[in-house]
Amino acid sequence: MTKEQYMQIALELARQAATADEVPVGAVVVDRESGEILAQACNQSAHNGDATSHAEILSIRQAWAKLQTTRLWDADIYVTLEPCTMCAAAISFARINTLYFGAEDEKGGAVVNGVKFYEAPTCHHRPQVESGIRADECAQLLTDFFKTKRNKS
């Protein structure tokens, strides 16, 4: 599969989150060698009543459980939105090889915006980062979601 195809799966997960009235973010963890999808999740913070139930955290936990390890050296993660500080840290601590993300998050992102977590001298593992994959679709999904939320209130 291509990067765009993995991101398409993450987008489908993000749409599921939007349907469930969750912030529409999806994440897919992929084995670098085989291309196998190890885990996939969407945001579930509201549903779970758990602020840590971001798509990235949930998919990393699933991958750990599947592989029975806490190090994902041979895995990549595809996320529809630039990770926040919590998720950037989790990606680093999980030792994920490459982070691919769609839309930048100027307010809450922590990779190319905000605190730029991977540039901090205290960051022990810096994944490779590639942004902009299907960025317009990822951004539009978020824009539409929050526009609908504002119009309801």
Side-chain angles (χ1 to χ4, degrees), residues 77-118:
I77 190 167
Y78 292 80
V79 187
T80 56
L81 181 64
E82 176 182 356
C84 68
T85 306
M86 174 182 69
C87 293
I91 290 165
S92 174
F93 294 151
R95 302 304 197 259
I96 288 178
N97 188 287
T98 306
L99 161 64
Y100 297 96
F101 71 86
E104 287 188 23
D105 185 351
E106 293 179 11
K107 287 184 178 180
V111 177
V112 298
N113 291 288
V115 301
K116 298 180 182 176
F117 185 83
Y118 302 133

Side-chain angles (χ1 to χ4, degrees), residues 134-152:
R134 302 186 80 149
D136 292 341
E137 291 172 79
C138 294
Q140 191 62 54
L141 181 59
L142 287 152
T143 299
D144 293 347
F145 175 79
F146 286 112
K147 183 178 180 181
T148 300
K149 294 286 276 183
R150 282 190 302 277
N151 289 340
K152 285 183 181 179

Side-chain angles (χ1 to χ4, degrees), residues 23-152:
V23 175
V25 177
V28 178
V29 177
V30 177
D31 181 280
R32 292 178 55 77
E33 296 290 320
S34 68
E36 174 191 1
I37 294 174
L38 300 172
Q40 57 187 16
C42 61
N43 276 1
Q44 296 182 32
S45 295
H47 177 76
N48 290 347
D50 177 358
T52 67
S53 289
H54 287 198
E56 299 94 324
I57 303 289
L58 296 173
S59 63
I60 288 168
R61 287 175 182 161
Q62 288 174 19
W64 282 349
K66 181 174 186 164
L67 299 176
Q68 300 201 346
T69 183
T70 57
R71 298 290 191 251
L72 300 173
W73 294 108
D74 297 322
D76 297 332
I77 190 167
Y78 292 80
V79 187
T80 56
L81 181 64
E82 176 182 356
C84 68
T85 306
M86 174 182 69
C87 293
I91 290 165
S92 174
F93 294 151
R95 302 304 197 259
I96 288 178
N97 188 287
T98 306
L99 161 64
Y100 297 96
F101 71 86
E104 287 188 23
D105 185 351
E106 293 179 11
K107 287 184 178 180
V111 177
V112 298
N113 291 288
V115 301
K116 298 180 182 176
F117 185 83
Y118 302 133
E119 294 179 20
T122 55
C123 180
H124 298 293
H125 170 74
R126 293 167 181 83
Q128 296 176 48
V129 176
E130 186 176 329
S131 63
I133 301 167
R134 302 186 80 149
D136 292 341
E137 291 172 79
C138 294
Q140 191 62 54
L141 181 59
L142 287 152
T143 299
D144 293 347
F145 175 79
F146 286 112
K147 183 178 180 181
T148 300
K149 294 286 276 183
R150 282 190 302 277
N151 289 340
K152 285 183 181 179

